[in-house]
Amino acid sequence: MNDERERRRLPLFWILLGVIVLLSAGYVLGSRFPAPVVARNPTQGSLSGENPPGLSENIAAETADSQRTPTPTTPSLQDIQVDRRDFPGGLIFLSLKEGLYANLFLYHPESLAPTRITYGDFDDIHPAVSPDSRSLAFASNRGGFWDLYLMDLDSGSVDQLTHSPAYEGAPTWSPDGAFIAYETLIEGNLEISLVRVDSADEPLQLTNNSAADHSPAWSPGGREIAFISTRSGVPKVWLADLQNSEDRFRLVSQDPEGLDSHPAWSPDGSSLAWASNINGQRGIFIASMGPDPQTARYAGSGDWPVWNPGGDTVLAVFETPNQQFLTAYRAESAGLVALPPLLAPGPVTGLDWADYQPPSPMPIALLQAATRTPPPLYQARTETPVAGLQKRSVLAALEDVEAPDPRLIDDLDEAFQALRQATARSSGWDFLANLENAYVPLTAQLPPGLANDWLYTGRAFAANTAPTRAGWMVITQELFGSEIFWRVYIRARFQDGSQGFPIHEIPFDLEARFGGDPLIYEAGGALMDGPPDGYWIDFTELARSFGWQRLPALLNWRTFYQGARFNEFVQPGELDWREAMLSLYPPEALITPSPITPVTPTLTPTRTPTPTRTPTASITPTFSPTPLESPTFTVVPGVLP
């Protein structure tokens, strides 16, 4: 009878079991491997001549990607309105990085597409137009070291102004055009010096402080130079009074939480603009510098402000985790956009705005630069799929790379090796020869929280973190909305000025959490005392040149060191995480079986334990060593004992 009852139950049991299996499989496929949040490219206009879309479209794209969330202390981006008046005239001088090198460009959003005016296997950065708009000062390493150069804008000829192996950059002109102030590295520390343009006299050192002093901006009145200094502990805007040697330096910005950068004077000298990072929000602030100074007011989101020649508009660089845009604001009204964000074709490494019109015809030197095009950084080579087989990504070995599994998908191994070679050339050491991880197979388990990591897709790599403990790698923290990203710098092997660039930001020390201070532990670390000395390579920017993007930190990064993910870089292409996994694995490989409880549990008889008598303890003999009898020796004459 019992057997008959069990046979009747079996069909119902297997039907229910099948339904549960199907539901479980759907749940696993849909939720066990969700795509992580990855910054996508906003669909915005570019500098290449496309008509810029409306600001509402830009805001929608940015909001969808959760790349920036305004704080209550600044106007919401949804409330910003676009000023439809004509964009101011003049021309914008840009330093844009194309591939491995930065070139100088002329540009205007309405009248001139980006036009290259320098070209070569070197970097030209920090353009600054003279007051008469006849000369352009800029920094360049075209001679092997960072020096200042002057370009005659009428002829295109270039002359070298400074001749020193030490770094020199960020030039700014005096109102009469006779002097240039600039930042320079002196004994490993950033200072500000002055040099006469038409003389071979030695430069004059304006600052001499253990803090970092950089980013000078000469006032139109000629008496003051605004600059950034960490002498108060964090980067702030300071003024140097050139006519007062007793009490020369004065603090301008008063916000205790702001990290300031790039001061810029209005053409009439009545206002000073600068960028400030307040709780992760980068904004442009403008302060009146007249007899009755006022509190700095917010102008809009962005960094690196410059004024138009008329003094009514401020141009700025707007940055997302892996891209940069140009935008502009009307100076008289907070948040009034004059230029909707335009995608820059490469990272911006300096800009200026001047009342300048190029001669017609343009000088031959400028025309030659305008016709040049940088070659591609590498050529991807992929294997031809076997006929009749479903095309899937193929893993390729990374030669001479140490990692648990040194492989990436075949589409990206050339991009990695090209980045590795470029890093070795620019830094002097093979940073990517040893990796913490490359491809991670499904059979390997990453730490908790990384179950859906991009390393499983074969499209990412994690650099070795050991150089951080040796002082050869530092990171800076960058907030975009609610997400935290990191910028990685590696130290140049040769510290003679022939490699790398000084760091202006203060790095974040993740190792400080282990120092015993509970507040620092809860914060996940602490800022270092100041920018590190010497020359460094911006590895994050270099990786971006080859298509590798950084990832945001996990929410638990403050207590989970690996959750910071500062060392991981990915090339997602147009795929999300799940699509990338399916390009490498069949869907069945992503299904993880889950234990299923039977619908009708069957009782299993359990043997009743039978008590047994506990044996009586008996005395165990104790082992006692028996001393050996000492041997006796008989002395035989003539024989040694």
Side-chain angles (χ1 to χ4, degrees), residues 94-353:
L94 285 173
S95 174
L96 294 173
K97 189 174 181 181
E98 297 180 299
L100 294 179
Y101 304 106
N103 300 318
L104 299 180
F105 289 78
L106 288 175
Y107 172 67
H108 191 277
E110 296 180 345
S111 60
L112 182 64
T115 304
R116 188 183 297 101
I117 59 176
T118 65
Y119 180 84
D121 294 340
F122 45 76
D123 295 303
D124 294 334
I125 61 175
H126 302 166
V129 184
S130 62
D132 60 3
S133 298
R134 302 289 299 275
S135 297
L136 178 69
F138 60 96
S140 178
N141 60 0
R142 58 179 61 196
F145 300 92
W146 287 105
D147 286 297
L148 300 182
Y149 290 80
L150 296 177
M151 174 186 288
D152 187 323
L153 292 176
D154 293 330
S155 64
S157 62
V158 176
D159 296 318
Q160 188 170 345
L161 178 61
T162 61
H163 301 77
S164 169
Y167 160 79
E168 292 155 338
T172 178
W173 294 80
S174 63
D176 58 4
F179 288 87
I180 285 180
Y182 60 95
E183 63 185 29
T184 180
L185 207 62
I186 299 178
E187 297 181 355
N189 189 46
L190 283 168
E191 303 287 359
I192 295 175
S193 294
L194 313 176
V195 63
R196 194 173 183 88
V197 174
D198 57 357
S199 173
D201 295 343
E202 290 294 321
L204 302 175
Q205 188 172 336
L206 177 63
T207 64
N208 185 12
N209 194 285
S210 58
D213 299 325
H214 56 87
S215 306
W218 211 313
S219 70
R223 290 187 51 181
E224 298 171 314
I225 292 179
F227 64 99
I228 300 297
S229 178
T230 59
R231 57 185 66 201
S232 63
V234 293
K236 291 294 181 184
V237 179
W238 287 71
L239 282 184
D241 189 341
L242 302 180
Q243 296 182 342
N244 186 354
S245 59
E246 298 295 331
D247 189 17
R248 171 162 291 173
F249 303 106
R250 175 168 60 93
L251 179 64
V252 175
S253 57
Q254 302 294 332
D255 192 322
E257 297 181 351
L259 305 177
D260 302 335
S261 62
H262 302 117
W265 291 92
S266 62
D268 61 2
S270 63
S271 300
L272 182 67
W274 66 84
S276 188
N277 188 333
I278 302 177
N279 297 326
Q281 299 297 318
R282 295 168 177 80
I284 306 299
F285 292 83
I286 301 175
S288 172
M289 302 302 291
D292 185 20
Q294 300 176 358
T295 303
R297 54 186 175 84
Y298 175 82
S301 299
D303 196 357
W304 216 318
V306 294
W307 296 77
N308 74 311
D312 59 359
T313 303
V314 176
L315 185 72
V317 177
F318 182 82
E319 189 170 1
T320 62
N322 294 293
Q323 288 180 320
Q324 287 185 343
F325 299 78
L326 283 183
T327 187
Y329 303 97
R330 299 296 184 184
E332 74 273 10
S333 179
L336 188 60
V337 175
L339 177 67
L342 297 176
L343 176 64
V348 178
T349 53
L351 67 167
D352 198 6
W353 199 346

Side-chain angles (χ1 to χ4, degrees), residues 411-497:
D411 297 341
L412 298 179
D413 59 322
E414 288 85 9
F416 173 84
Q417 294 291 13
L419 171 61
R420 177 188 174 188
Q421 295 173 7
T423 304
R425 286 195 303 267
S426 59
S427 66
W429 57 291
D430 198 352
F431 172 59
L432 296 179
N434 187 293
L435 300 178
E436 180 180 282
N437 264 317
Y439 165 69
V440 175
L442 282 179
T443 54
Q445 186 174 3
L446 290 173
L450 300 177
N452 301 334
D453 198 87
W454 279 89
L455 292 171
Y456 286 113
T457 68
R459 295 175 173 270
F461 68 90
N464 199 325
T465 60
T468 58
R469 299 172 181 86
W472 281 77
M473 180 167 66
V474 296
I475 60 175
T476 58
Q477 188 183 83
E478 298 180 0
L479 259 65
F480 295 94
S482 60
E483 293 183 325
I484 293 178
F485 289 78
W486 308 93
R487 186 170 295 275
V488 177
Y489 294 91
I490 61 174
R491 186 173 179 83
R493 176 184 177 186
F494 301 104
Q495 291 289 309
D496 57 0

Side-chain angles (χ1 to χ4, degrees), residues 412-611:
L412 298 179
D413 59 322
E414 288 85 9
F416 173 84
Q417 294 291 13
L419 171 61
R420 177 188 174 188
Q421 295 173 7
T423 304
R425 286 195 303 267
S426 59
S427 66
W429 57 291
D430 198 352
F431 172 59
L432 296 179
N434 187 293
L435 300 178
E436 180 180 282
N437 264 317
Y439 165 69
V440 175
L442 282 179
T443 54
Q445 186 174 3
L446 290 173
L450 300 177
N452 301 334
D453 198 87
W454 279 89
L455 292 171
Y456 286 113
T457 68
R459 295 175 173 270
F461 68 90
N464 199 325
T465 60
T468 58
R469 299 172 181 86
W472 281 77
M473 180 167 66
V474 296
I475 60 175
T476 58
Q477 188 183 83
E478 298 180 0
L479 259 65
F480 295 94
S482 60
E483 293 183 325
I484 293 178
F485 289 78
W486 308 93
R487 186 170 295 275
V488 177
Y489 294 91
I490 61 174
R491 186 173 179 83
R493 176 184 177 186
F494 301 104
Q495 291 289 309
D496 57 0
S498 62
Q499 294 178 328
F501 193 87
I503 296 180
H504 293 69
E505 298 81 14
I506 300 179
F508 192 89
D509 184 9
L510 291 172
E511 302 288 340
R513 69 176 72 182
F514 306 119
D517 189 323
L519 296 180
I520 294 179
Y521 175 80
E522 291 178 359
L527 290 174
M528 295 183 179
D529 294 335
D533 294 345
Y535 297 89
W536 298 79
I537 311 299
D538 188 341
F539 178 76
T540 298
E541 202 60 68
L542 186 59
R544 183 162 66 172
S545 300
F546 291 86
W548 298 98
Q549 301 178 7
R550 52 186 173 170
L551 292 173
L554 300 179
L555 295 178
N556 61 348
W557 70 270
R558 291 176 177 83
T559 55
F560 177 41
Y561 184 86
Q562 290 178 296
R565 297 203 297 186
F566 66 89
N567 61 326
E568 186 172 340
F569 295 84
V570 61
Q571 277 209 42
E574 299 297 326
L575 306 177
D576 60 24
W577 186 87
R578 177 174 171 77
E579 292 169 342
M581 291 293 289
L582 291 177
S583 71
L584 190 62
Y585 296 101
E588 295 79 8
L590 305 185
I591 301 176
T592 303
S594 301
I596 299 177
T597 304
V599 177
T600 304
T602 303
L603 298 178
T604 302
T606 304
R607 182 180 178 183
T608 304
T610 303

Side-chain angles (χ1 to χ4, degrees), residues 372-394:
R372 303 297 295 270
T373 302
L377 295 180
Y378 66 94
Q379 185 67 40
R381 298 186 301 272
T382 57
E383 295 183 3
T384 304
V386 179
L389 295 180
Q390 184 178 4
K391 183 179 179 181
R392 294 194 183 279
S393 298
V394 178

